[in-house]
Amino acid sequence: QFAKQSSTDSALYYIPTVVHIFHDGGAGNIDIAQIYDGMRILNEDYRKMNADTGSVQSVHKPVHTDTQIEFRLARSPTID
């Protein structure tokens, strides 16, 4: 279920996101900081806040917008 933030002009939707990491316990494992960084980059792209928004191809500019969507790591209600 999506969480909706109340706002006077537009709604911001939060999408609970689960990340599954498959590895064999070796050097290929990633840490939680890399997961958070990936979420940050994803959200910057969806919210049109990344540094390269000025380089969007002209054909895509009419539809290039802030989607008002943010992804957040899902949390178990029993852990909080």
Side-chain angles (χ1 to χ4, degrees):
Q1 180 173 342
F2 304 117
K4 182 178 175 182
Q5 177 185 3
S6 61
S7 173
T8 55
D9 296 331
S10 61
L12 183 61
Y13 292 91
Y14 297 104
I15 299 177
T17 306
V18 176
V19 177
H20 297 275
I21 308 298
F22 294 93
H23 65 93
D24 61 7
N29 194 13
I30 65 172
D31 62 17
I32 191 70
Q34 290 173 290
I35 294 170
Y36 282 125
D37 191 51
M39 296 291 288
R40 177 190 60 78
I41 293 167
L42 180 67
N43 285 324
E44 285 176 359
D45 287 342
Y46 271 78
R47 295 295 316 275
K48 194 180 170 184
M49 297 168 65
N50 50 354
D52 65 350
T53 57
S55 64
V56 172
Q57 294 178 356
S58 59
V59 68
H60 298 293
K61 286 189 184 219
V63 295
H64 188 234
T65 188
D66 178 352
T67 63
Q68 299 293 308
I69 295 172
E70 285 190 12
F71 299 88
R72 295 196 174 168
L73 289 177
R75 301 181 66 88
S76 169
T78 59
I79 295 175
D80 295 335

